[in-house]
Amino acid sequence: MSDPVARGRPPPEEFRRAMARWATGVSVVTAHHAGEDAGLTVNALLSIALAPPSLLVSLQESVDTLPAIEASGAFAVSLLSARQRSISERFARAVPSREKFLDLPVHRGATGAPLVDGALAAAECRLTAVVPAHDHRLLLGEVVRVELGPEDDPLVFFRSGYGSAEGPGSLRLPPPGR
Ligand SMILES: Cc1cc2nc3c(=O)[nH]c(=O)nc-3n(C[C@H](O)[C@H](O)[C@H](O)COP(=O)(O)O)c2cc1C
């Protein structure tokens, strides 16, 4: 058998297609700095530990929200419900922060970062580490406050499209081939 490492890397598009088969939830990660709110849609979210409660998000180094998180030393994660798909779409757009938050109902907890009203749950974090990873930054956060929202269905991202899940065994998926 040939050495798998020596065989080289898969083309990025092939890797993207493979990872598109990894179903995730969808969140909005936000920060507040110098009187401004910033935020983006994130599905690279990982719960790290229960004690201390901590989580990790992976952000492209070029996103506008990253400097706001680093400068404020804090961020918040709102876990979106299936009925909040338009919020996910809005926060994934390359538009000025002010536009993303225009007429969006939010509230604030301990860190000053905005939390999306009606989200399934939210966690506010103190930024404890920033680890460079290629063109991304892994942000480790110690959770300082959580809140639970309505018991709605989650928004799901799978095969590069949105779906929803009514509960175990009833995943509704986007049409194939996307
Ligand atoms: C479903 C979905 C998940 C995403 N997940 C991430 C992610 O985990 N990390 C990331 O850096 N960008 C992610 N993005 C892209 C950002 O939301 C997008 O680049 C955004 O415009 C960045 O906003 P900003 O530059 O104002 O911070 C995702 C987009 C979508 C639609």
Side-chain angles (χ1 to χ4, degrees):
M1 280 234 302
S2 64
D3 177 355
V5 177
R7 282 207 301 269
R9 301 181 178 133
E13 178 54 24
E14 194 178 320
F15 179 56
R16 194 191 66 75
R17 278 209 308 275
M19 293 313 296
R21 296 180 178 201
W22 178 242
T24 69
V26 182
S27 73
V28 169
V29 170
T30 52
H32 183 83
H33 176 64
E36 299 279 341
D37 290 328
L40 81 169
T41 301
V42 164
N43 68 344
L45 165 68
L46 186 62
S47 168
I48 295 289
L50 294 180
S54 47
L55 54 77
L56 182 147
V57 294
S58 173
L59 300 190
Q60 293 177 50
E61 64 187 355
S62 57
V63 298
D64 290 342
T65 307
L66 182 58
I69 294 175
E70 291 185 307
S72 65
F75 63 95
V77 183
S78 298
L79 308 183
L80 299 184
S81 76
R83 62 177 82 217
Q84 293 179 312
R85 173 179 172 162
S86 63
I87 298 178
S88 173
E89 290 167 343
R90 176 199 287 226
F91 277 86
R93 271 183 220 127
V95 295
S97 284
R98 207 160 298 154
E99 232 171 273
K100 292 181 173 181
F101 287 94
L102 199 66
D103 298 328
L104 181 75
V106 298
H107 57 284
R108 291 171 206 276
T111 60
L115 305 167
V116 178
D117 284 8
L120 297 181
E124 290 185 82
C125 301
R126 184 173 68 83
L127 181 65
T128 54
V130 179
V131 181
H134 309 293
D135 61 349
H136 278 62
R137 297 287 177 271
L138 308 181
L139 309 187
L140 190 63
E142 186 174 331
V143 178
V144 294
R145 186 176 161 273
V146 288
E147 59 180 49
L148 293 178
E151 297 269 351
D152 284 343
D153 299 339
L155 184 61
V156 171
F157 199 67
F158 180 66
R159 280 197 316 241
S160 308
Y162 292 100
S164 65
E166 283 175 344
S170 60
L171 199 58
R172 285 197 309 273
L173 302 172
R178 294 172 55 185

PDB file of all heavy atoms in Angstrom, residues 11-22 159-160 178:
ATOM      1  N   PRO A  11      -8.261  17.643  -3.865  1.00  0.00           N
ATOM      2  CA  PRO A  11      -8.582  19.006  -4.300  1.00  0.00           C
ATOM      3  C   PRO A  11      -9.565  19.631  -3.304  1.00  0.00           C
ATOM      4  O   PRO A  11     -10.440  18.918  -2.781  1.00  0.00           O
ATOM      5  CB  PRO A  11      -9.239  18.813  -5.666  1.00  0.00           C
ATOM      6  CG  PRO A  11      -8.900  17.419  -6.084  1.00  0.00           C
ATOM      7  CD  PRO A  11      -8.647  16.630  -4.841  1.00  0.00           C
ATOM      8  N   PRO A  12      -9.434  20.938  -3.024  1.00  0.00           N
ATOM      9  CA  PRO A  12     -10.324  21.580  -2.046  1.00  0.00           C
ATOM     10  C   PRO A  12     -11.805  21.332  -2.328  1.00  0.00           C
ATOM     11  O   PRO A  12     -12.584  21.136  -1.407  1.00  0.00           O
ATOM     12  CB  PRO A  12      -9.977  23.075  -2.189  1.00  0.00           C
ATOM     13  CG  PRO A  12      -8.594  23.103  -2.733  1.00  0.00           C
ATOM     14  CD  PRO A  12      -8.430  21.873  -3.572  1.00  0.00           C
ATOM     15  N   GLU A  13     -12.175  21.305  -3.603  1.00  0.00           N
ATOM     16  CA  GLU A  13     -13.600  21.131  -3.942  1.00  0.00           C
ATOM     17  C   GLU A  13     -14.099  19.746  -3.516  1.00  0.00           C
ATOM     18  O   GLU A  13     -15.244  19.585  -3.065  1.00  0.00           O
ATOM     19  CB  GLU A  13     -13.786  21.363  -5.454  1.00  0.00           C
ATOM     20  CG  GLU A  13     -15.198  21.177  -5.955  1.00  0.00           C
ATOM     21  CD  GLU A  13     -16.242  22.017  -5.205  1.00  0.00           C
ATOM     22  OE1 GLU A  13     -15.874  23.065  -4.607  1.00  0.00           O
ATOM     23  OE2 GLU A  13     -17.407  21.604  -5.185  1.00  0.00           O
ATOM     24  N   GLU A  14     -13.210  18.751  -3.640  1.00  0.00           N
ATOM     25  CA  GLU A  14     -13.586  17.390  -3.224  1.00  0.00           C
ATOM     26  C   GLU A  14     -13.771  17.340  -1.705  1.00  0.00           C
ATOM     27  O   GLU A  14     -14.711  16.729  -1.196  1.00  0.00           O
ATOM     28  CB  GLU A  14     -12.480  16.434  -3.664  1.00  0.00           C
ATOM     29  CG  GLU A  14     -12.852  14.977  -3.607  1.00  0.00           C
ATOM     30  CD  GLU A  14     -11.707  14.101  -4.108  1.00  0.00           C
ATOM     31  OE1 GLU A  14     -11.059  14.486  -5.109  1.00  0.00           O
ATOM     32  OE2 GLU A  14     -11.446  13.073  -3.483  1.00  0.00           O
ATOM     33  N   PHE A  15     -12.868  18.009  -0.995  1.00  0.00           N
ATOM     34  CA  PHE A  15     -12.971  18.073   0.463  1.00  0.00           C
ATOM     35  C   PHE A  15     -14.257  18.807   0.868  1.00  0.00           C
ATOM     36  O   PHE A  15     -14.989  18.377   1.762  1.00  0.00           O
ATOM     37  CB  PHE A  15     -11.738  18.785   1.039  1.00  0.00           C
ATOM     38  CG  PHE A  15     -11.759  18.917   2.536  1.00  0.00           C
ATOM     39  CD1 PHE A  15     -11.904  17.790   3.348  1.00  0.00           C
ATOM     40  CD2 PHE A  15     -11.629  20.157   3.142  1.00  0.00           C
ATOM     41  CE1 PHE A  15     -11.924  17.912   4.733  1.00  0.00           C
ATOM     42  CE2 PHE A  15     -11.643  20.283   4.523  1.00  0.00           C
ATOM     43  CZ  PHE A  15     -11.801  19.166   5.319  1.00  0.00           C
ATOM     44  N   ARG A  16     -14.550  19.912   0.144  1.00  0.00           N
ATOM     45  CA  ARG A  16     -15.761  20.672   0.454  1.00  0.00           C
ATOM     46  C   ARG A  16     -17.003  19.791   0.274  1.00  0.00           C
ATOM     47  O   ARG A  16     -17.896  19.773   1.123  1.00  0.00           O
ATOM     48  CB  ARG A  16     -15.854  21.901  -0.465  1.00  0.00           C
ATOM     49  CG  ARG A  16     -16.879  22.932  -0.005  1.00  0.00           C
ATOM     50  CD  ARG A  16     -17.144  23.988  -1.051  1.00  0.00           C
ATOM     51  NE  ARG A  16     -17.781  23.434  -2.229  1.00  0.00           N
ATOM     52  CZ  ARG A  16     -19.062  23.076  -2.306  1.00  0.00           C
ATOM     53  NH1 ARG A  16     -19.838  23.217  -1.257  1.00  0.00           N
ATOM     54  NH2 ARG A  16     -19.554  22.563  -3.410  1.00  0.00           N
ATOM     55  N   ARG A  17     -17.010  19.023  -0.837  1.00  0.00           N
ATOM     56  CA  ARG A  17     -18.173  18.155  -1.091  1.00  0.00           C
ATOM     57  C   ARG A  17     -18.308  17.079  -0.019  1.00  0.00           C
ATOM     58  O   ARG A  17     -19.415  16.725   0.389  1.00  0.00           O
ATOM     59  CB  ARG A  17     -18.058  17.511  -2.475  1.00  0.00           C
ATOM     60  CG  ARG A  17     -18.510  18.414  -3.596  1.00  0.00           C
ATOM     61  CD  ARG A  17     -19.060  17.608  -4.787  1.00  0.00           C
ATOM     62  NE  ARG A  17     -18.125  16.578  -5.220  1.00  0.00           N
ATOM     63  CZ  ARG A  17     -17.121  16.791  -6.071  1.00  0.00           C
ATOM     64  NH1 ARG A  17     -16.943  17.986  -6.586  1.00  0.00           N
ATOM     65  NH2 ARG A  17     -16.309  15.826  -6.401  1.00  0.00           N
ATOM     66  N   ALA A  18     -17.178  16.556   0.436  1.00  0.00           N
ATOM     67  CA  ALA A  18     -17.232  15.532   1.493  1.00  0.00           C
ATOM     68  C   ALA A  18     -17.787  16.136   2.787  1.00  0.00           C
ATOM     69  O   ALA A  18     -18.695  15.570   3.407  1.00  0.00           O
ATOM     70  CB  ALA A  18     -15.841  14.942   1.727  1.00  0.00           C
ATOM     71  N   MET A  19     -17.263  17.309   3.167  1.00  0.00           N
ATOM     72  CA  MET A  19     -17.687  17.904   4.435  1.00  0.00           C
ATOM     73  C   MET A  19     -19.109  18.461   4.369  1.00  0.00           C
ATOM     74  O   MET A  19     -19.740  18.671   5.407  1.00  0.00           O
ATOM     75  CB  MET A  19     -16.695  18.999   4.865  1.00  0.00           C
ATOM     76  CG  MET A  19     -15.321  18.467   5.221  1.00  0.00           C
ATOM     77  SD  MET A  19     -15.366  17.017   6.327  1.00  0.00           S
ATOM     78  CE  MET A  19     -16.097  17.719   7.812  1.00  0.00           C
ATOM     79  N   ALA A  20     -19.602  18.684   3.138  1.00  0.00           N
ATOM     80  CA  ALA A  20     -20.993  19.141   2.987  1.00  0.00           C
ATOM     81  C   ALA A  20     -21.970  18.058   3.446  1.00  0.00           C
ATOM     82  O   ALA A  20     -23.157  18.312   3.622  1.00  0.00           O
ATOM     83  CB  ALA A  20     -21.268  19.539   1.545  1.00  0.00           C
ATOM     84  N   ARG A  21     -21.450  16.835   3.622  1.00  0.00           N
ATOM     85  CA  ARG A  21     -22.306  15.747   4.122  1.00  0.00           C
ATOM     86  C   ARG A  21     -22.315  15.667   5.646  1.00  0.00           C
ATOM     87  O   ARG A  21     -22.865  14.742   6.227  1.00  0.00           O
ATOM     88  CB  ARG A  21     -21.851  14.427   3.518  1.00  0.00           C
ATOM     89  CG  ARG A  21     -22.056  14.451   2.025  1.00  0.00           C
ATOM     90  CD  ARG A  21     -21.652  13.206   1.329  1.00  0.00           C
ATOM     91  NE  ARG A  21     -21.945  13.364  -0.101  1.00  0.00           N
ATOM     92  CZ  ARG A  21     -22.097  12.366  -0.948  1.00  0.00           C
ATOM     93  NH1 ARG A  21     -21.983  11.133  -0.524  1.00  0.00           N
ATOM     94  NH2 ARG A  21     -22.352  12.604  -2.198  1.00  0.00           N
ATOM     95  N   TRP A  22     -21.653  16.647   6.266  1.00  0.00           N
ATOM     96  CA  TRP A  22     -21.657  16.760   7.731  1.00  0.00           C
ATOM     97  C   TRP A  22     -22.763  17.733   8.097  1.00  0.00           C
ATOM     98  O   TRP A  22     -22.646  18.940   7.840  1.00  0.00           O
ATOM     99  CB  TRP A  22     -20.275  17.257   8.195  1.00  0.00           C
ATOM    100  CG  TRP A  22     -20.115  17.485   9.656  1.00  0.00           C
ATOM    101  CD1 TRP A  22     -19.823  18.673  10.270  1.00  0.00           C
ATOM    102  CD2 TRP A  22     -20.159  16.507  10.710  1.00  0.00           C
ATOM    103  NE1 TRP A  22     -19.715  18.506  11.623  1.00  0.00           N
ATOM    104  CE2 TRP A  22     -19.922  17.186  11.916  1.00  0.00           C
ATOM    105  CE3 TRP A  22     -20.399  15.130  10.729  1.00  0.00           C
ATOM    106  CZ2 TRP A  22     -19.911  16.534  13.148  1.00  0.00           C
ATOM    107  CZ3 TRP A  22     -20.393  14.475  11.959  1.00  0.00           C
ATOM    108  CH2 TRP A  22     -20.141  15.172  13.142  1.00  0.00           C
ATOM    109  N   ARG A 159     -25.439  19.473   2.930  1.00  0.00           N
ATOM    110  CA  ARG A 159     -25.289  19.489   1.462  1.00  0.00           C
ATOM    111  C   ARG A 159     -25.411  20.905   0.923  1.00  0.00           C
ATOM    112  O   ARG A 159     -26.080  21.165  -0.054  1.00  0.00           O
ATOM    113  CB  ARG A 159     -26.329  18.582   0.797  1.00  0.00           C
ATOM    114  CG  ARG A 159     -25.932  17.112   0.857  1.00  0.00           C
ATOM    115  CD  ARG A 159     -26.706  16.240  -0.131  1.00  0.00           C
ATOM    116  NE  ARG A 159     -28.093  16.519  -0.189  1.00  0.00           N
ATOM    117  CZ  ARG A 159     -29.071  15.656   0.111  1.00  0.00           C
ATOM    118  NH1 ARG A 159     -28.783  14.436   0.497  1.00  0.00           N
ATOM    119  NH2 ARG A 159     -30.319  16.001   0.009  1.00  0.00           N
ATOM    120  N   SER A 160     -24.769  21.857   1.625  1.00  0.00           N
ATOM    121  CA  SER A 160     -24.711  23.259   1.208  1.00  0.00           C
ATOM    122  C   SER A 160     -26.080  23.928   1.137  1.00  0.00           C
ATOM    123  O   SER A 160     -26.263  24.925   0.441  1.00  0.00           O
ATOM    124  CB  SER A 160     -24.016  23.403  -0.149  1.00  0.00           C
ATOM    125  OG  SER A 160     -22.775  22.756  -0.138  1.00  0.00           O
ATOM    126  N   ARG A 178     -27.167  19.718  -4.525  1.00  0.00           N
ATOM    127  CA  ARG A 178     -26.817  21.117  -4.319  1.00  0.00           C
ATOM    128  C   ARG A 178     -25.461  21.251  -3.664  1.00  0.00           C
ATOM    129  O   ARG A 178     -24.972  20.338  -3.079  1.00  0.00           O
ATOM    130  CB  ARG A 178     -27.854  21.799  -3.466  1.00  0.00           C
ATOM    131  CG  ARG A 178     -29.154  21.873  -4.174  1.00  0.00           C
ATOM    132  CD  ARG A 178     -30.254  22.382  -3.281  1.00  0.00           C
ATOM    133  NE  ARG A 178     -29.901  23.678  -2.699  1.00  0.00           N
ATOM    134  CZ  ARG A 178     -30.662  24.301  -1.795  1.00  0.00           C
ATOM    135  NH1 ARG A 178     -31.759  23.761  -1.387  1.00  0.00           N
ATOM    136  NH2 ARG A 178     -30.304  25.446  -1.280  1.00  0.00           N
TER     137      ARG A 178
END
